[in-house]
Amino acid sequence: MIILHPLSDFINPNTEIITPHPSYYYEGKCPQTGELLKLPRTALVEAIAKRLMQQLSENQIYTREGKMYGVLLVELPNGEPKIIKAFSGLLNGYSVVKGWVPPIPGREEVALAETQTLAKLAEIKQEIITLKQIPERQQYETLTVEFKQQLQIMNLQHNQSKQQRQEKRQQYQQTLRGETLEIAIAQLEAESCQQGIERKYLKRRQNELLQPLAELITAADNRIRELKQQRKELSRQLQTQMHAAYSLTNFYGQSLSLQQLIPGGIPTGTGECCAPKLLHYAATHKLKPLAMAEFWWGESSIQDKVQGEFYGACVERCQPLMGFLLSGLKSQTSDFQKLEIIYEDQWLIAVNKPPGLLSVPGRYHYNQDSVLSRLRNLYDLELMTVHRLDQETSGILILARDSTTHSQLNQQFAKRQIHKIYEAVLAGSLTTDQGIIDLPLWGNPENRPYQTVDLEKGKPSLTNFRVIGKQGNHTRVEFIPLTGRTHQLRVHAADVRGLGVKILGDRLYGCNANVSRLHLHSREITFQHPHTGETLHLQTKTPF
């Protein structure tokens, strides 16, 4: 069954998505260390979720019932990004659906009890429906309306008669006397009494017909309340069994039941939500979570749920589990904090890249650890590198925060308007203190990233150098590259037609000295700010 989906199923990895910061963090404190662990909801994972929304809208089976859906961007051990997706509860009555993350373990242990309980719940539901539809309800409503209409007509007729009697009484008192007047008045009172008897008879007849129906309806409503209470108790018992059987695993490899995780009482549906399903699956399949998003899709009887809206971890069911579920997951925040930011504004960021860290991820490893992926995942998704430093080289690296800034800085690089100064320690002595190296460089496609000097196929490459100090047999130099070829400074230093002395620690080009790093550092950079026009001169301390 295919569970892991390639990123290309949802979005082009090279698509630029603008957002300054993650819009939400799934977070919780590790029960063991107390560390606050965070998993972001980034613009990239939101774009993936929106593509899933489109897929759901194109398939009518997903619009039958409203529910939460979730996507988790993960990284395989080889650095390849993948997507896993989940739904809350059941999807069209099924807990296991091809292409979706399965439910957390434990359901199979209570499968029989679940089947029996669901069957009983179905019976209860049907009985409730039947009781709500008993014919006496309609009969009661029909008779009530009929008697109401009859009473209204009778009241109208009696009011008219009453008015007529009042008029006659006045007339009789003016025209009649003695016994004749008494007889006439008595006739009017008899007529009023008769109408009172008719009204009482109608009401008595109404009670005789409606009372038995009302009693049957009341009995049905009482039974419905009993059935609902029975249904609630059966659901509670099933949930208790499930919570004792359901087991979640975190990134330490620890597994605990829901009952152990929330001993004080567990709301119905805990463990059935998307986030626990996704994180448990990732933890048990050695997948590194990078970002997660949950959204509502379909009709909703809940007023606060809107189709297509993103929602965080639900307070009652998911949030209490977050700390445990994220435990053992390496904090990406700590990686981010290792990056020293030396300049930042709304258009660009400059960092002091440590040695050993890639500037950008590899071509087929979108979220491979690098300056760009760290900042994209945890700080600013739209960031684009303006230039690059070798993995072994430390120093200033500039990243643009929008495409306009990126384009303008690229133009300055292309026109050689950006001035860079590197500092290096060479594994030997030089016979000259300064000069310019003009050696064209070529990279053999079959032997990347190794570069060589090639006077025929090579691209023009120029480097100014100046000796700034000597330390025993080593020489400290300052390099000013006038072009920006791959490994330019390293080859210009190592090649006999250049300086003929390798940079200390440059094992790729033959330096076998027992040192921990390449002694090459991008120390300074000067350029014109693409928006303010001011001249920026950024500088860092050389760490060797």
Side-chain angles (χ1 to χ4, degrees):
M1 182 184 296
I2 299 175
I3 301 295
L4 292 166
H5 303 272
L7 198 61
S8 57
D9 282 359
F10 296 89
I11 192 171
N12 185 338
N14 297 319
T15 300
E16 295 179 4
I17 305 169
I18 301 174
T19 185
H21 301 284
S23 57
Y24 175 80
Y25 283 102
Y26 293 88
E27 61 183 34
K29 289 187 177 180
C30 175
Q32 291 182 317
T33 66
E35 178 186 4
L36 180 63
L37 303 171
K38 291 187 174 185
L39 180 65
R41 184 176 76 213
T42 63
L44 175 60
V45 79
E46 286 183 0
I48 292 167
K50 288 177 181 177
R51 174 55 185 152
L52 177 57
M53 293 179 200
Q54 183 180 346
Q55 294 173 1
L56 294 174
S57 67
E58 294 169 354
N59 194 330
Q60 294 301 315
I61 68 170
Y62 296 121
T63 59
R64 296 177 186 172
E65 56 179 336
K67 63 174 60 269
M68 293 292 294
Y69 293 87
V71 292
L72 180 63
L73 175 62
V74 298
E75 184 179 85
L76 300 183
N78 64 3
E80 183 181 1
K82 292 286 186 179
I83 304 296
I84 56 176
K85 58 185 183 179
F87 51 82
S88 62
L90 304 177
L91 185 58
N92 297 323
Y94 294 96
S95 61
V96 178
V97 179
K98 182 179 180 181
W100 299 82
V101 166
I104 61 176
R107 179 177 289 271
E108 63 279 1
E109 296 181 23
V110 292
L112 178 59
E114 181 182 18
T115 300
Q116 294 173 341
T117 300
L118 291 177
K120 182 60 178 177
L121 292 175
E123 292 177 4
I124 292 174
K125 180 181 179 181
Q126 187 56 52
E127 186 176 352
I128 290 174
I129 292 173
T130 302
L131 290 170
K132 287 182 177 180
Q133 296 176 347
I134 57 175
E136 287 80 3
R137 296 184 188 276
Q138 184 60 48
Q139 294 173 16
Y140 186 90
E141 291 179 6
T142 301
L143 287 173
T144 299
V145 171
E146 290 178 356
F147 278 114
K148 183 179 180 180
Q149 291 174 345
Q150 292 177 29
L151 188 58
Q152 287 174 343
I153 294 173
M154 179 178 287
N155 285 337
L156 181 61
Q157 292 173 345
H158 288 184
N159 287 336
Q160 290 175 348
S161 298
K162 182 178 181 181
Q163 185 176 357
Q164 291 172 359
R165 287 194 299 272
Q166 289 174 347
E167 292 174 354
K168 287 181 179 180
R169 182 178 286 105
Q170 293 176 357
Q171 181 182 358
Y172 291 162
Q173 289 174 346
Q174 293 174 358
T175 59
L176 300 176
R177 294 290 184 273
E179 186 178 351
T180 305
L181 176 60
E182 292 177 359
I183 293 172
I185 294 299
Q187 290 176 344
L188 293 177
E189 291 177 350
E191 180 181 338
S192 175
C193 183
Q194 180 60 37
Q195 288 180 346
I197 293 172
E198 291 177 359
R199 187 183 297 108
K200 290 181 180 179
Y201 175 78
L202 179 61
K203 289 184 177 180
R204 184 166 59 247
R205 178 61 179 165
Q206 179 183 25
N207 289 335
E208 289 174 352
L209 293 178
L210 293 183
Q211 185 64 29
L213 297 176
E215 291 175 356
L216 288 173
I217 293 170
T218 300
D221 289 342
N222 290 336
R223 176 58 179 164
I224 288 174
R225 281 192 289 272
E226 292 175 0
L227 290 171
K228 287 184 176 180
Q229 184 61 35
Q230 185 180 349
R231 180 175 63 185
K232 182 178 179 180
E233 181 60 24
L234 284 172
S235 298
R236 188 195 65 77
Q237 291 175 1
L238 179 60
Q239 287 294 327
T240 300
Q241 289 178 283
M242 288 181 170
H243 294 156
Y246 277 19
S247 176
L248 285 171
T249 301
N250 63 19
F251 294 91
Y252 280 130
Q254 298 172 328
S255 296
L256 292 175
S257 70
L258 290 177
Q259 205 168 59
Q260 291 173 307
L261 288 169
I262 314 179
I266 307 172
T268 301
T270 302
E272 298 285 349
C273 298
C274 301
K277 286 183 176 182
L278 291 167
L279 292 173
H280 171 84
Y281 187 88
T284 54
H285 289 78
K286 301 187 185 306
L287 306 173
K288 178 184 177 182
L290 303 175
M292 182 165 62
E294 294 178 287
F295 62 91
W296 182 271
W297 193 259
E299 297 181 359
S300 173
S301 58
I302 308 173
Q303 293 181 353
D304 63 345
K305 297 298 183 186
V306 179
Q307 177 168 288
E309 288 290 323
F310 290 103
Y311 294 94
C314 53
V315 176
E316 294 182 348
R317 292 183 294 275
C318 291
Q319 188 55 53
L321 301 173
M322 278 299 125
F324 174 80
L325 286 169
L326 295 173
S327 293
L329 180 63
K330 184 180 179 182
S331 174
Q332 298 180 52
T333 303
S334 61
D335 286 338
F336 170 62
Q337 292 172 341
K338 293 177 184 177
L339 293 176
E340 178 190 356
I341 296 178
I342 60 174
Y343 179 85
E344 177 182 7
D345 60 28
Q346 66 188 89
W347 298 289
L348 57 90
I349 293 177
V351 302
N352 186 13
K353 186 186 86 67
L357 180 66
L358 291 168
S359 297
V360 299
R363 180 177 300 179
Y364 302 108
H365 304 286
Y366 180 75
N367 239 72
Q368 187 177 14
D369 192 23
S370 66
V371 171
L372 183 61
S373 60
R374 285 185 187 183
L375 294 178
R376 273 185 167 177
N377 283 335
L378 298 164
Y379 187 70
D380 192 336
L381 192 68
E382 198 209 0
L383 284 171
M384 296 167 280
T385 50
V386 177
H387 62 116
R388 300 183 185 184
L389 295 177
D390 297 340
Q391 183 173 3
E392 295 86 357
T393 303
S394 59
I396 301 173
L397 185 68
I398 299 174
L399 302 98
R401 300 183 76 158
D402 59 74
S403 56
T404 300
T405 303
H406 183 258
S407 175
Q408 291 175 350
L409 288 174
N410 272 340
Q411 291 178 19
Q412 291 189 46
F413 269 102
K415 295 177 182 179
R416 300 181 183 177
Q417 296 172 341
I418 293 183
H419 183 71
K420 294 189 292 180
I421 299 177
Y422 287 74
E423 189 171 326
V425 174
L426 305 183
S429 300
L430 295 182
T431 58
T432 181
D433 288 340
Q434 62 182 6
I436 186 168
I437 305 168
D438 181 3
L439 293 173
L441 299 181
W442 178 71
N444 187 337
E446 297 181 358
N447 191 25
R448 289 178 177 174
Y450 193 82
Q451 306 290 310
T452 59
V453 174
D454 193 306
L455 301 179
E456 295 182 359
K457 295 182 287 187
K459 295 180 180 180
S461 305
L462 297 172
T463 303
N464 280 330
F465 74 94
R466 180 174 68 91
V467 174
I468 58 175
K470 293 187 178 180
Q471 301 165 309
N473 295 327
H474 296 158
T475 305
R476 187 174 292 272
V477 298
E478 190 177 81
F479 285 122
I480 300 176
L482 304 179
T483 55
R485 310 300 178 200
T486 300
H487 294 181
Q488 176 176 316
L489 303 182
R490 299 165 68 175
V491 177
H492 279 183
D495 194 276
V496 293
R497 287 161 289 185
L499 298 182
V501 182
K502 303 171 181 65
I503 296 177
L504 185 63
D506 192 354
R507 293 179 177 81
L508 181 63
Y509 292 99
C511 180
N512 296 318
N514 186 22
V515 292
S516 61
R517 60 158 293 174
L518 173 69
H519 283 55
L520 179 63
H521 180 75
S522 177
R523 191 185 72 199
E524 299 177 47
I525 189 166
T526 304
F527 61 97
Q528 185 179 40
H529 195 291
H531 295 281
T532 66
E534 67 176 312
T535 298
L536 285 182
H537 177 219
L538 306 179
Q539 186 172 0
T540 59
K541 183 179 179 180
T542 302
F544 48 80

